Amino acid sequence: MLISDPLLAELDHLHPKQRAAVLSPGNVVLRAGPGSGKTRTLVARIAYVLQTQISAFRGVACITYTNVAADEIRHRVLRSGVHAEGRIRCSTVHGFCLNEILRAFPLLTGQPAPQAGQVLNGTATRLLLQDCFDQVGITEMPARERMNENTLVRRALACGEPLTSFDSREVQAARLYEAQLVVRGQIDFEAMVTRALATVRENEPVRDLLRARFPHLIVDEYQDLGGVLHKLVLALRDLAGITVFAVGDTDQSVYAFAGADAKYLTALAARDDFDDIELEVNYRSGQQIITVAEAALSTPRRRRAREGAPPGIVKLDQVTGGLDDHASLACDYAQQAVQRQVAPERIAVLYPQRGPLLEALQDELTRRQMTFLHERDDKLPPGSLSRFIQRCASRAVANYQIHAAADAAQRRDMLRRTDAPSIATLARALTTLRTEANVPRSTSRLLLPRSLQACLDPQPAYPADAPASEWVQRLRSDLALDEVAGTHPEQDNGTSLGDLVDLCQSKNLLLQDLAQGVQVIGKILLTTYHSAKGREFDTVILPGLLQGIIPHSVRSAGGWRSPNAKELDEQRRTFYVALTRAEAGLHLITGPGYQTRNGYWRDEGPSEFLREMARRLSPPPSPT
């Protein structure tokens, strides 16, 4: 087939290694470091396959880890000029397993799809696991403190991996837990992937239909996969014959606590039937920032900035006092960036986890009356319906900001800068929720976007700093969300609407507080290292680089302890992720120590990660 002019132009602009990955006729592992154009390459691959490799009646499945990433990929593919509408299924891991496997073939497998309330929420999961712990005689630790460990055991069981490193009673409890899910006719998110794997392995007709529908599978952030999902990808490749394009970076594997392991990406790349391609150019950061960030790793990758890129600025400061001094200097740097005409939303102040550092930063930002958005890790109610409302909030906030702009040119610029989802994207998400809940299609496909438009883009726009509870109630009513909540298979969705309204009222949340993971124009971002993953900023400020804050202690069954070697490596990679968010300016702040919440002074000095970085650099960044 001929390649269209827009796609040809895009291929011409790609680096030779990106182009080789896009045009590869077979399976590919694309190792893509920070700022390497991963999403651009992935989108070009999907567009190329849709246009030249498969018929107009077949499509591409793309697995991502967040709805935001899925939205971005889908949106960019649809803008590429290829016929992609209805031919790309871009969803999260659990969305793919539920909708494209478990719900798609019940007549072939004899296994009914999950019905209303059968997907366990976190509370029900903990209660069931505690019951299993009680039955096998585990009394010295509550189940809630061993949830992650239980997940690791269940994944090892599903993958046939050795169990010698686990407590034998926990293995017994995990087996009992799986059996109880079957007896009760229930499923949780971990079992969703396990059952999808079993369905693919045991049913040749299912494999044939999946290959016919999706001859190509794209998997993003492969380093964050656990063993079961890796086995599912291998089954789709080896048993179903689906071509796999896997993208990842072992240096950004930061979810080991949730069962992820970068070894699966390495194993896939080592296969003879995969092309292993590494992108070495960083299009985001200046060379000084790249060099400093790679010094944080035990093995530098020697990645380089794009040709002609400014070198970037790296500053290391050592304050003489405690965390109040860190917060003060961080605010100084943020204000200086604003004075240099850096947009506030392009400035990020990052911290490792909640604690005295976060409190000092919030106090100082508030004292100076600086406009900032703290991405709360007060947990909003879980569930896909709650996440849908949060995405709607990001659209409503963007609408308010854009319509507040002075002229059309400014509005276009703000629209370009916001990450809010489109009305069409939200309409697709709501349609999926209604389908999963078996809600009758009483609302036509044409009316649904109009209903969302009326809710999210009204005139005058609902203010971003207005109470969220009133807005949620209006959205809940106008979109008939209670109808979805009542019959959706996720237990969380059954109560999330009421819980969200109650939380908004009790915490006095504003509309912008619901817009998680989205730029809020005109506000400096205050968030964690983990939450910054996958994002980029002009200026990144990292205060609190002190031993005890980064790396920090780890919660265990017996309380708090020092991180072991594996956990220390993961915290090092998380630090690397934070460093590599910066495009032009990186500010590192350390000092002699800090005061704990209990009033004790810890005088262990700079973070060991910072000391190791300084030893690897020649010469190290000079204090300013």
Side-chain angles (χ1 to χ4, degrees):
M1 293 184 182
L2 294 176
I3 302 177
S4 65
D5 289 341
L7 184 54
L8 274 174
E10 175 65 10
L11 292 174
D12 286 342
H13 282 90
L14 294 178
H15 185 276
K17 286 195 172 183
Q18 292 175 303
R19 191 159 52 249
V22 170
L23 301 179
S24 173
N27 306 294
V28 175
V29 166
L30 182 68
R31 299 175 187 258
S36 60
K38 172 203 73 171
T39 303
R40 183 179 188 180
T41 309
L42 186 154
V43 167
R45 169 72 173 193
I46 296 174
Y48 173 75
V49 166
L50 288 174
Q51 188 169 96
T52 69
Q53 302 300 298
I54 59 178
S55 76
F57 303 101
R58 308 177 83 184
V60 172
C62 180
I63 298 176
T64 70
Y65 277 81
T66 67
N67 286 306
V68 172
D71 289 347
E72 179 185 6
I73 292 168
R74 184 189 298 108
H75 178 63
R76 289 171 65 167
V77 171
L78 292 174
R79 285 192 313 172
S80 68
V82 305
H83 170 51
E85 189 66 58
R87 301 177 64 208
I88 175 173
R89 290 291 184 271
C90 201
S91 62
T92 62
V93 170
H94 298 107
F96 177 79
C97 291
L98 176 65
N99 296 317
E100 310 304 338
I101 299 178
L102 299 181
R103 293 182 65 92
F105 308 108
L107 296 179
L108 288 176
T109 64
Q111 299 296 322
Q115 302 301 314
Q118 290 182 335
V119 179
L120 297 185
N121 61 19
T123 300
T125 298
R126 287 192 296 273
L127 290 174
L128 178 55
L129 183 58
Q130 185 63 62
D131 181 60
C132 295
F133 269 33
D134 293 341
Q135 290 189 52
V136 302
I138 301 177
T139 59
E140 68 274 19
M141 67 186 86
R144 68 175 181 273
E145 295 184 3
R146 304 294 289 176
M147 294 289 290
N148 288 338
E149 189 73 8
N150 176 257
T151 297
L152 297 179
V153 175
R154 292 172 65 195
R155 289 183 179 180
L157 285 168
C159 295
E161 295 176 349
L163 303 171
T164 53
S165 62
F166 301 112
D167 184 323
S168 61
R169 297 172 303 163
E170 290 200 54
V171 175
Q172 186 180 355
R175 294 183 189 277
L176 181 58
Y177 180 93
E178 293 282 0
Q180 284 296 306
L181 286 179
V182 175
V183 169
R184 299 179 182 204
Q186 295 173 326
I187 191 172
D188 64 5
F189 285 99
E190 189 63 30
M192 209 176 279
V193 184
T194 303
R195 294 184 190 180
L197 171 61
T199 298
V200 171
R201 280 178 166 174
E202 297 167 8
N203 294 271
E204 184 177 359
V206 169
R207 298 196 296 269
D208 291 342
L209 288 170
L210 282 171
R211 182 178 65 250
R213 190 179 183 195
F214 303 121
H216 287 259
L217 172 68
I218 312 292
V219 187
D220 194 15
E221 304 288 2
Y222 207 93
Q223 77 280 351
D224 293 333
L225 265 64
V228 184
L229 187 54
H230 175 63
K231 294 284 186 182
L232 176 59
V233 172
L234 293 184
L236 293 171
R237 166 58 270 174
D238 297 338
L239 300 180
I242 293 174
T243 301
V244 173
F245 187 90
V247 184
D249 180 15
T250 55
D251 295 331
Q252 297 186 76
S253 178
V254 295
Y255 294 109
F257 63 87
D261 198 322
K263 70 181 182 183
Y264 300 117
L265 176 63
T266 302
L268 200 67
R271 288 178 47 138
D272 292 337
D273 57 341
F274 275 76
D275 289 336
D276 183 13
I277 300 174
E278 182 174 6
L279 303 183
E280 298 162 345
V281 178
N282 184 326
Y283 295 92
R284 174 191 304 155
S285 306
Q287 189 60 54
Q288 287 192 34
I289 295 172
I290 296 170
T291 301
V292 166
E294 291 202 352
L297 295 173
S298 56
T299 307
R301 302 303 183 195
R302 295 180 177 82
R303 294 192 172 103
R304 62 186 187 278
R306 61 179 171 81
E307 187 176 349
I313 297 172
V314 180
K315 291 186 177 180
L316 171 62
D317 278 283
Q318 184 157 340
V319 300
T320 58
L323 294 178
D324 288 343
D325 287 356
H326 286 251
S328 178
L329 186 55
C331 288
D332 288 345
Y333 279 136
Q335 288 179 325
Q336 291 168 17
V338 171
Q339 290 168 3
R340 295 195 307 272
Q341 304 302 309
V342 177
E345 70 273 9
R346 301 277 291 140
I347 303 167
V349 182
L350 307 181
Y351 59 94
Q353 62 175 2
R354 298 178 69 175
L357 174 61
L358 171 60
E359 293 164 5
L361 289 166
Q362 288 178 300
D363 289 346
E364 184 65 13
L365 286 162
T366 302
R367 187 187 70 79
R368 296 197 191 193
Q369 298 183 331
M370 298 173 67
T371 54
F372 72 99
L373 174 67
H374 174 222
E375 286 189 342
R376 299 167 180 259
D377 35 18
D378 292 342
K379 288 189 176 178
L380 295 172
S384 54
L385 194 53
S386 175
R387 290 192 295 273
F388 169 74
I389 292 174
Q390 292 169 51
R391 296 163 75 196
C392 287
S394 69
R395 170 72 191 200
V397 168
N399 176 63
Y400 172 73
Q401 294 168 328
I402 290 167
H403 283 286
D407 54 51
Q410 189 177 3
R411 284 195 291 272
R412 285 194 298 271
D413 179 61
M414 294 178 76
L415 184 61
R416 178 183 57 81
R417 285 154 55 193
T418 184
D419 296 326
S422 67
I423 291 295
T425 293
L426 293 171
R428 279 191 293 267
L430 182 54
T431 298
T432 298
L433 284 168
R434 292 171 64 86
T435 301
E436 292 171 348
N438 291 318
V439 174
R441 293 193 174 187
S442 56
T443 304
S444 76
R445 294 181 62 185
L446 293 177
L447 291 178
L448 195 57
R450 294 176 187 173
S451 300
L452 278 162
Q453 189 91 39
C455 291
L456 306 182
D457 294 355
Q459 292 301 322
Y462 194 83
D465 55 358
S469 57
E470 177 186 336
W471 178 86
V472 172
Q473 290 283 44
R474 185 185 308 169
L475 192 74
R476 179 179 180 178
S477 173
D478 291 353
L479 298 181
L481 296 182
D482 284 279
E483 188 179 16
V484 175
T487 56
H488 198 276
E490 287 184 38
Q491 286 186 353
D492 280 325
N493 287 340
T495 59
S496 62
L497 294 174
D499 291 345
L500 187 57
V501 171
D502 291 343
L503 181 66
C504 289
Q505 292 172 342
S506 63
K507 296 280 189 178
N508 296 318
L509 297 186
L510 308 178
L511 178 59
Q512 65 192 23
D513 292 327
L514 300 185
Q516 298 289 313
V518 177
Q519 286 185 348
V520 175
I521 303 297
K523 293 181 182 287
I524 295 164
L525 181 67
L526 178 63
T527 194
T528 62
Y529 293 0
H530 273 98
S531 295
K533 187 173 183 287
R535 299 157 82 173
E536 56 187 43
F537 305 92
D538 176 275
T539 301
V540 170
I541 304 165
L542 303 181
L545 300 182
L546 301 168
Q547 194 69 13
I549 292 181
I550 180 70
H552 52 76
S553 300
V554 176
R555 186 186 291 275
S556 66
W560 293 91
R561 58 172 175 78
S562 297
N564 58 35
K566 186 175 181 180
E567 292 161 342
L568 194 65
D569 283 344
E570 173 147 335
Q571 291 197 42
R572 190 192 316 277
R573 292 192 297 271
T574 309
F575 179 48
Y576 171 72
V577 165
L579 294 167
T580 54
R581 300 310 93 196
E583 294 179 9
L586 178 62
H587 300 279
L588 313 174
I589 306 174
T590 187
Y594 68 101
Q595 194 169 41
T596 68
R597 281 178 171 163
N598 296 326
Y600 295 104
W601 177 260
R602 293 191 61 167
D603 59 356
E604 298 170 54
S607 163
E608 64 183 81
F609 295 161
L610 200 61
R611 295 196 297 266
E612 291 171 8
M613 178 193 296
R615 285 196 293 270
R616 293 190 182 106
L617 292 172
S618 180
S622 301
T624 57

